[in-house]
Amino acid sequence: MTYQAPIQDIRFVLRELADLQGVLALPGFEEVSEDLVDAILEENARFVEQEVAPLNVEGDRHPAIWQDGEVRTSPGFKAAFEAFAQGGWQGLQHESEMGGQGLPRLVGAPATENLNAASLAFSLCPLLTDGVIEALSLVGTPEQQALYIPPLLAGRWTGTMNLTEPQAGSDLALLQSRAVRQDDGSYRITGQKIFITYGDHDMAENIIHLVLARTPQAPKGVKGISLFIVPKFLADGNTLGARNDVYCASLEHKLGIHGSPTAVLLYGSGKGEVGGGGAVGYLIGEENHGLGYMFIMMNAARYAVGLQGVAVSERALQQAVAYANERVQGQALEGSDGAVPIARHPDVQRMLGIMRGLTEGARAVAYVAASHRDKAARAADPQARARHKAIYEYFVPIVKGFSTESSVEVASLGVQVHGGMGFIEETGAALYYRDARILPIYEGTTAIQANDFIGRKILRDGGAIAKEQIAGMLETAAGLRADDGADAEGLALIADRLEAAARAYEASVDDILAQAGTHVRGAFMGSVPCLMQAGTVHAGWQLARSALAAARAIRAGSTDAFHPAKIATAVAYAAHVLPRAAAMADAISVGALADRYMNRQWI
């Protein structure tokens, strides 16, 4: 089926939940109007629907090919990337001082989501390029910024990040790639990197790799890692020079995202035009500080992968809804003259309601997080900037972990809605399930996000931000109960379930804080449940706020079917998803006891 960007829901979330008006009032956004935002969203929708979405199946069925050390991307990818670059989409949310368009992250978020929904495999190249631009913008020298950022923004060059090695997956302390300083200040890089997304391709004239490696005298562990720029072709201004000694040895054969070339890269294999001794690289910042610099890129990528989760969920939802309305099977339980579309059957409605609630709830959480990021960067008051920065950092692991885990559930339910036809590749439902499965893994597994959430968020501030958010949830529950309109009964249900879930989350935060002081393994036994609980409750909160806004619109005279549908989605989520928070709280509360039994040798 064809993809349609969910523009109406995006606009609703931007205006009603994510404070678009407040973001546009920030210093530096004076020339960005709501009309301009609407125009950008419309053009973005047109571009991804017409130029990128048709590539989704094409890339899945005809993956990138490695041959004689070179990579050819899937049919249509190169032309689509050229159109993407010419449209200026790569520079949408980057600072104007660096050559970008300087638009709010809150505007960039839906554009990123829609591109990923159109084709997840295609969108990975711009995603990683965004991370390289951000890292160079913050820690690159003026010379590095002037040389590399303009062609990256223009789409002439693309970027990657190179962390993983065969012996070093999530544990970067085990990295062995080597960097030796030369007399001219450059370095020679040798080693092997694996799982490098778009590590080689034919869509741009140059590729800029950000590579983690060790210098000969570096300290052991993560404190001895440095970050280097290693271009595929050396460059002097706009002129490409010698072919560097970095080559693709092979491409991985993957469960999903087939159109995205995932490369094994060899540095210093004796090829290229730079002589022996390794690939030529250039230090970013100071030696032995590379992991901190790379985390700039990784955090940007983690948020973007969270948007990928929303995107795949939206695509799977659209396919399932279309099929459920077309597929005629069985009579209605209340009676009918004949067979009815399966969308009429209660359990199909339950599945579609969960799919829509998880998708729209995750979208709202991600956009609210983007709003905090804009305010952290541009609010006039330094204290306000610090507060919004802390809230945004709290949200990043939730957006990444919850949205991606939810995408697997949504895509799986999408297959289930199709029944046996969902198991057949030709219907397309399985494609989203296969693509979604990587999202909770790359850019840090869900457990890594959860450990960050517990260790660097909950424990570091004693749960202060979490409890501030919980107070907002309880205020929303009170507002729902005060509404005495036509949907008061449904709003009351949402309020009851939201309050119960918020209280469960509050109890879990207290349990984590208590266990961390006496049995730290027990606290982290509950890290993933706590992260998923936080996502579940935050999504429910945003859906509850959506229901309140929709009820206000209906009272004001709206006859748009969109508004009662938003209330119905919030009710479905309250009925079928929010109760999970209590079960997660139960698991978290016995973390220490469970660990004493589970941490035995037989495990």
Side-chain angles (χ1 to χ4, degrees):
M1 63 159 290
T2 58
Y3 165 71
Q4 290 186 315
I7 294 298
Q8 186 171 17
D9 194 59
I10 288 171
R11 285 175 171 149
F12 178 86
V13 174
L14 292 179
R15 289 175 168 83
E16 299 292 343
L17 307 180
D19 190 25
L20 176 63
Q21 189 174 28
V23 168
L24 297 185
L26 292 170
F29 295 143
E30 292 84 359
E31 297 183 6
V32 184
S33 65
E34 290 197 30
D35 287 343
L36 176 60
V37 172
D38 282 339
I40 291 169
L41 293 176
E42 291 289 347
E43 177 57 23
N44 174 257
R46 184 208 63 77
F47 172 73
V48 301
E49 290 169 6
Q50 296 180 12
E51 303 287 343
V52 182
L55 303 178
N56 204 36
V57 172
E58 188 71 26
D60 187 62
R61 296 178 180 174
H62 303 98
I65 297 172
W66 175 85
Q67 188 173 18
D68 299 326
E70 300 292 337
V71 175
R72 295 200 312 273
T73 49
S74 301
F77 274 43
K78 186 175 182 179
F81 188 77
E82 182 178 351
F84 172 84
Q86 290 177 348
W89 295 109
Q90 189 73 67
L92 190 71
Q93 56 188 342
H94 294 290
E95 298 296 335
S96 55
E97 292 82 359
M98 293 292 175
Q101 297 180 38
L103 291 166
R105 301 286 177 163
L106 183 56
V107 178
T112 299
E113 179 199 326
N114 293 339
L115 181 68
N116 280 276
S119 174
L120 181 62
F122 174 85
S123 70
L124 280 163
C125 187
L127 182 155
L128 289 164
T129 302
D130 276 336
V132 172
I133 294 168
E134 182 140 348
L136 291 175
S137 297
L138 293 175
V139 295
T141 65
E143 294 77 14
Q144 289 170 342
Q145 293 170 353
L147 176 59
Y148 296 109
I149 291 179
L152 288 167
L153 286 169
R156 290 173 33 232
W157 300 356
T158 64
T160 74
M161 62 177 178
N162 288 226
L163 289 78
T164 308
E165 298 177 5
Q167 80 292 340
S170 298
D171 187 358
L172 297 176
L174 301 177
L175 285 179
Q176 295 178 359
S177 291
R178 183 178 174 88
V180 179
R181 184 179 174 87
Q182 306 297 297
D183 292 339
D184 64 358
S186 68
Y187 289 73
R188 289 293 181 140
I189 314 295
T190 55
Q192 178 182 351
K193 297 291 185 177
I194 63 172
F195 302 159
I196 308 305
T197 300
Y198 279 90
D200 197 23
H201 60 82
D202 59 357
M203 300 191 327
E205 63 189 45
N206 202 5
I207 303 172
I208 308 304
H209 304 291
L210 295 194
V211 183
L212 290 180
R214 296 182 182 281
T215 55
Q217 304 303 319
K220 293 182 179 180
V222 295
K223 294 182 179 180
I225 296 173
S226 300
L227 181 62
F228 301 89
I229 300 168
V230 184
K232 179 177 179 179
F233 290 93
L234 304 187
D236 182 9
N238 290 322
T239 304
L240 293 184
R243 177 68 161 89
N244 209 352
D245 192 1
V246 50
Y247 278 83
C248 177
S250 64
L251 294 180
E252 305 291 357
H253 300 279
K254 310 184 298 292
L255 176 67
I257 53 170
H258 292 160
S260 169
T262 304
V264 175
L265 293 184
L266 300 180
Y267 290 84
S269 59
K271 299 179 180 180
E273 301 166 338
V274 295
V280 176
Y282 307 97
L283 181 68
I284 295 179
E286 301 177 27
E287 288 187 5
N288 305 325
H289 290 75
L291 192 58
Y293 303 146
M294 184 62 89
F295 262 104
I296 296 169
M297 187 174 183
M298 290 171 65
N299 281 333
R302 286 173 175 179
Y303 175 83
V305 171
L307 287 175
Q308 288 185 328
V310 178
V312 175
S313 294
E314 176 64 35
R315 196 77 190 263
L317 171 64
Q318 289 190 18
Q319 170 119 359
V321 169
Y323 183 83
N325 281 300
E326 294 168 359
R327 179 65 167 168
V328 174
Q329 290 282 287
Q331 292 189 343
L333 283 173
E334 66 274 18
S336 61
D337 293 333
V340 298
I342 62 172
R344 291 272 302 275
H345 299 317
D347 195 61
V348 175
Q349 292 175 347
R350 178 191 63 84
M351 290 189 287
L352 293 175
I354 292 172
M355 291 175 72
R356 188 174 297 281
L358 289 171
T359 301
E360 295 183 0
R363 173 181 296 124
V365 172
Y367 290 11
V368 167
S371 177
H372 284 293
R373 185 174 184 182
D374 284 322
K375 293 171 182 177
R378 295 182 180 265
D381 177 37
Q383 290 185 332
R385 289 199 301 272
R387 175 178 173 273
H388 288 296
K389 181 176 183 289
I391 295 173
Y392 172 72
E393 290 176 348
Y394 161 88
F395 270 119
V396 168
I398 297 174
V399 170
K400 202 287 184 181
F402 175 74
S403 299
T404 59
E405 291 284 359
S406 294
S407 73
V408 177
E409 179 178 355
V410 170
S412 178
L413 285 170
V415 172
Q416 191 73 15
V417 169
H418 284 74
M421 294 304 294
F423 204 65
I424 306 301
E425 286 288 356
E426 285 74 11
T427 62
L431 186 161
Y432 308 122
Y433 188 43
R434 289 187 285 104
D435 280 0
R437 195 60 195 86
I438 188 59
L439 301 181
I441 299 173
Y442 65 17
E443 303 307 334
T445 64
T446 304
I448 289 174
Q449 308 306 315
N451 288 347
D452 173 66
F453 183 65
I454 295 299
R456 295 188 179 91
K457 284 30 178 214
I458 301 298
L459 296 182
R460 181 169 291 180
D461 72 354
I465 292 176
K467 292 190 176 183
E468 176 187 315
Q469 299 293 305
I470 290 166
M473 297 172 190
L474 298 176
E475 287 181 14
T476 298
L480 288 161
R481 292 192 178 99
D483 192 299
D484 58 358
D487 290 296
E489 187 175 12
L491 298 182
L493 170 65
I494 299 168
D496 290 345
R497 292 295 172 87
L498 176 61
E499 180 174 354
R503 295 296 187 193
Y505 180 35
E506 184 176 40
S508 295
V509 170
D510 289 337
D511 279 335
I512 292 291
L513 293 170
Q515 291 184 67
T518 58
H519 194 114
V520 68
R521 285 181 56 90
F524 281 85
M525 181 68 75
S527 63
V528 169
C530 188
L531 178 67
M532 292 302 294
Q533 182 191 50
T536 298
V537 179
H538 273 286
W541 181 24
Q542 298 308 323
L543 290 174
R545 294 180 64 211
S546 297
L548 269 177
R552 287 195 300 269
I554 292 170
R555 280 199 307 275
S558 171
T559 58
D560 190 338
F562 174 83
H563 291 115
K566 291 300 291 185
I567 297 174
T569 298
V571 169
Y573 192 92
H576 295 291
V577 182
L578 275 177
R580 299 176 186 179
M584 294 171 188
D586 287 344
I588 294 163
S589 69
V590 296
L593 176 61
D595 176 68
R596 286 201 296 271
Y597 281 88
M598 296 174 70
N599 189 29
R600 290 179 174 178
Q601 192 168 358
W602 59 263
I603 289 291

